[in-house]
Amino acid sequence: MSIVLAPRPFWSLAVLHARFQFLETVRIPIAVIGNLLFPSLALLFFVIPQRSVADDPGIATAAIAQLGVFAVMSTCLFSFGVGVSEDRAMPFDPFLRTLPAGAGPRLVGRVLNGVLWSYLALVPLVLLGAFLTAATLTPAQALAAIAMVPAVAVPFLLLGLAIGYRLSSKAAIAVVQATLFPLAFAGGLFLPPEAFPGWLDTLSKFLPSRAARDLAVQAVTGYEAYAGALVVILAWTAVFAALAVTAYRRDEGRRFH
Amino acid sequence: MTTVVELEHVTRTFGAVTALDDVSLSVGEGQLVGLLGPNGAGKTTLLSLVSGLRRADSGTVRLFGGDPRDASSRIALGTTPQETGLPPTLTVGEVVDLVAGHYPAPMTRAEVLARFGLEDLSGRQTGGLSGGQKRRLAVALALVGRPRLVLLDEPTTGLDVEARHTLWEALRDYHADGATVLLTSHYLEEIEALAERVVVIGEGRVLADDTLSSVLGLVGLRRVIFAVPNGDGVDLARLPGAASAQQASDGRWTVLASDADRVVRALVEQAVPFEGLEVRGASLEEAFLTLTQKEEVVR
């Protein structure tokens, strides 16, 4: 028999899922506030009091950029790693999978939601930076920063998905924290890499967080990223994409209901 | 009649457990089919294959002629979430909108809420609903997209009598509009109230597939239990009204009877020296068990 009804367009389904995921996130304010606050607090306590950093336009802008990378990374790892594993544990998840929409629109909805929260997480950082430090951006650098956000977000959201589709929610929280903070520290998101001992600086250059940090700093200050940063981040993106896909495939049909 | 659901020689295992064992089943448009069977019989697995959640290990599953794992095959399918699984922070109206947004010609929010008496709860977060309200919302979500096939897994388990009857009424109304309904239950009462055709599933196999009245006859057996200490000499299974007879390890006989009165009368007439007579209704579980055993005898 023929079905004359056509499925809803991909993008309207993706926006539908993004909208309801946003609503669900925003109704648990502590999750939102934690995400928005931590990078700003770090800026307020560790950067702004050091006037030698805060009063130098280049260094201050770089400091805000590296905390911005942290904000995006933490939003992605939490909303994808912890969020996906929590959703998988909910009996509503298999129900959604019986609706006439494939995994694609829901995944894209999640990406839209993640990118939106990444932007929101940057708002307090940018405001603090503009009012309390000497950080400056030209209009071109501001545009570059806006474009950098999804580029930084993609590898970490793929890593988040790999964690979220493989682990239970309790394990996912632990793994996200154990991944996020070492990656952030060794990637120069809290202390600039110039303060690293030589061995750590060398190691750091192989990390996705360091590559993302240097590319973000380059976009907003013009300080050149180290050679190979782009290759490192693309390689990690490929690795995380492969991990995410295998985790998603393993997850299918493994659950009992 | 066009076929809405078609399973051909479908097998699905979970590790060492065979949930479905070479099941073939076909459901035509407009039918109201009850899947009856004890817990763990394979009913939920069958629904999960039809709704595209799982893949069969072997055999084919067709939904409106297509693979249920393709989203486009599910365009006219409605299923229920487990009522414990509604997103607690979303309101009733929002959950309805989320589901409705997946279908080309859904009911309006007001229409679907009115059908299930949920109008006053539209702005309430689902986490604050009672169990019965959640259950009504869950069934409402199955219908919001105006599906031509509705799958319902134990739709009224745990509801009080009044709420159960309200839901049955809503389902009968929807079926009367021409929809096909496939529901599972381990309550005979629910199947009796709704289904026209009944498929009995046990241990992953289809044990019976017939009209409601024939299946009721099959599972409406009674047990006549007694001991015959001083010799037998009577073929108890051939007593009038008896379906089968079995001797337990303690020596007591259990005769499954479609007509227990006739069996007892025959025992007396034939002067069978029975002792400790008990007559009781076979539970659904027991009735399923006898269906399973019969099947094995036939094999």
Side-chain angles (χ1 to χ4, degrees):
Chain A
M1 68 191 287
S2 64
I3 303 283
V4 284
L5 298 172
R8 306 271 295 129
F10 187 96
W11 279 105
S12 71
L13 286 171
V15 169
L16 181 77
H17 280 280
R19 198 169 91 223
F20 283 98
Q21 282 164 9
F22 183 84
L23 272 179
E24 279 189 81
T25 317
V26 89
R27 296 238 169 101
I28 308 174
I30 190 66
V32 181
I33 291 168
N35 236 340
L36 296 188
L37 234 49
F38 184 82
S40 313
L41 288 179
L43 182 68
L44 206 53
F45 291 139
F46 301 118
V47 176
I48 290 171
Q50 298 184 54
R51 294 320 301 181
S52 62
V53 173
D55 290 337
D56 180 305
I59 299 176
T61 309
I64 291 163
Q66 69 196 28
L67 280 171
V69 170
F70 176 77
V72 170
M73 190 168 112
S74 110
T75 301
C76 288
L77 284 179
F78 274 105
S79 75
F80 293 92
V82 181
V84 167
S85 68
E86 277 172 354
D87 278 3
R88 280 170 52 228
M90 295 262 292
F92 202 62
D93 184 70
F95 167 70
L96 288 177
R97 293 205 289 145
T98 71
L99 295 176
R106 286 181 62 206
L107 199 59
V108 172
R110 207 172 263 293
V111 171
L112 290 176
N113 196 38
V115 171
L116 182 63
W117 282 107
S118 298
Y119 280 119
L120 289 176
L122 292 176
V123 169
L125 266 184
V126 170
L127 290 178
L128 282 176
F131 290 115
L132 300 180
T133 74
T136 54
L137 286 180
T138 65
Q141 285 170 334
L143 280 179
I146 290 169
M148 274 306 287
V149 171
V152 169
V154 167
F156 296 110
L157 73 84
L158 289 170
L159 175 60
L161 288 173
I163 294 170
Y165 278 111
R166 186 152 309 220
L167 301 175
S168 72
S169 64
K170 277 182 185 156
I173 291 175
V175 169
V176 162
Q177 281 171 341
T179 314
L180 177 65
F181 288 99
L183 265 187
F185 181 80
L189 304 185
F190 295 147
L191 281 177
E194 292 79 29
F196 283 177
W199 65 269
L200 183 56
D201 188 44
T202 311
L203 175 75
S204 172
K205 286 178 178 165
F206 290 99
L207 296 177
S209 45
R210 171 66 184 277
R213 180 234 174 242
D214 275 31
L215 291 170
V217 167
Q218 178 178 337
V220 294
T221 63
Y223 295 151
E224 287 276 315
Y226 64 93
L230 196 61
V231 175
V232 167
I233 201 162
L234 288 176
W236 279 110
T237 303
V239 170
F240 294 151
L243 284 175
V245 169
T246 48
Y248 183 81
R249 291 212 178 124
R250 268 168 57 107
D251 176 54
E252 273 211 324
R254 288 188 80 206
R255 283 161 292 166
F256 289 68
H257 274 292
Chain B
M1 183 164 48
T2 46
T3 306
V4 173
V5 174
E6 178 105 62
L7 281 81
E8 280 176 352
H9 303 292
V10 168
T11 298
R12 179 66 158 102
T13 57
F14 295 104
V17 182
T18 303
L20 290 176
D21 183 4
D22 193 26
V23 168
S24 295
L25 179 69
S26 158
V27 177
E29 181 141 40
Q31 291 188 337
L32 209 169
V33 180
L35 283 177
L36 187 61
N39 287 324
K43 308 186 297 285
T44 304
T45 304
L46 195 152
L47 290 196
S48 73
L49 292 174
V50 174
S51 60
L53 278 178
R54 296 213 167 79
R55 213 187 304 259
D57 293 336
S58 65
T60 53
V61 182
R62 306 246 129 218
L63 173 64
F64 296 107
D67 181 348
R69 295 178 62 81
D70 293 340
S72 58
S73 303
R74 302 195 298 266
I75 198 79
L77 173 73
T79 69
T80 48
Q82 291 178 357
E83 83 285 1
T84 51
L86 296 163
T89 57
L90 295 184
T91 67
V92 170
E94 284 165 355
V95 176
V96 168
D97 289 350
L98 170 62
V99 176
H102 287 77
Y103 291 94
M107 295 183 197
T108 62
R109 191 196 266 207
E111 181 186 353
V112 72
L113 293 180
R115 268 189 192 243
F116 290 89
L118 294 166
E119 306 94 317
D120 301 336
L121 300 173
S122 182
R124 180 92 64 89
Q125 292 190 339
T126 67
L129 298 179
S130 73
Q133 290 164 340
K134 283 182 187 171
R135 189 58 70 108
R136 272 186 283 159
L137 175 58
V139 178
L141 294 180
L143 302 190
V144 67
R146 295 186 201 282
R148 303 218 312 272
L149 170 66
V150 187
L151 303 180
L152 300 162
D153 198 2
E154 308 275 351
T156 66
T157 302
L159 285 188
D160 62 43
V161 176
E162 196 186 338
R164 175 173 294 183
H165 284 268
T166 314
L167 258 187
W168 287 349
E169 204 49 55
L171 289 175
R172 274 192 290 254
D173 282 352
Y174 194 72
H175 173 245
D177 296 343
T180 310
V181 179
L182 182 56
L183 82 150
T184 74
S185 187
H186 59 276
Y187 291 134
L188 188 56
E189 193 200 353
E190 181 153 81
I191 298 284
E192 270 187 280
L194 291 173
E196 296 158 346
R197 172 182 162 199
V198 181
V199 177
V200 182
I201 295 194
E203 293 174 358
R205 281 179 290 139
V206 173
L207 303 179
D209 179 355
D210 215 325
T211 60
L212 176 66
S213 56
S214 331
V215 171
L216 284 183
L218 270 181
V219 298
L221 298 173
R222 298 181 74 77
R223 336 193 95 196
V224 182
I225 304 166
F226 52 87
V228 194
N230 302 315
D232 31 18
V234 182
D235 188 352
L236 295 172
R238 287 180 184 276
L239 288 173
S244 71
Q246 270 193 317
Q247 193 169 22
S249 52
D250 64 356
R252 287 168 69 82
W253 283 89
T254 299
V255 175
L256 280 163
S258 51
D259 185 341
D261 300 329
R262 284 184 70 194
V263 169
V264 174
R265 245 181 256 124
L267 283 173
V268 175
E269 280 164 10
Q270 298 185 21
V272 176
F274 62 84
E275 275 179 14
L277 178 73
E278 272 178 64
V279 179
R280 54 189 171 94
S283 69
L284 259 191
E285 307 277 320
E286 288 169 322
F288 293 140
L289 211 61
T290 62
L291 281 174
T292 322
Q293 284 161 352
K294 260 189 216 161
E295 178 96 346
E296 271 157 10
V297 171
V298 171
R299 284 173 134 197

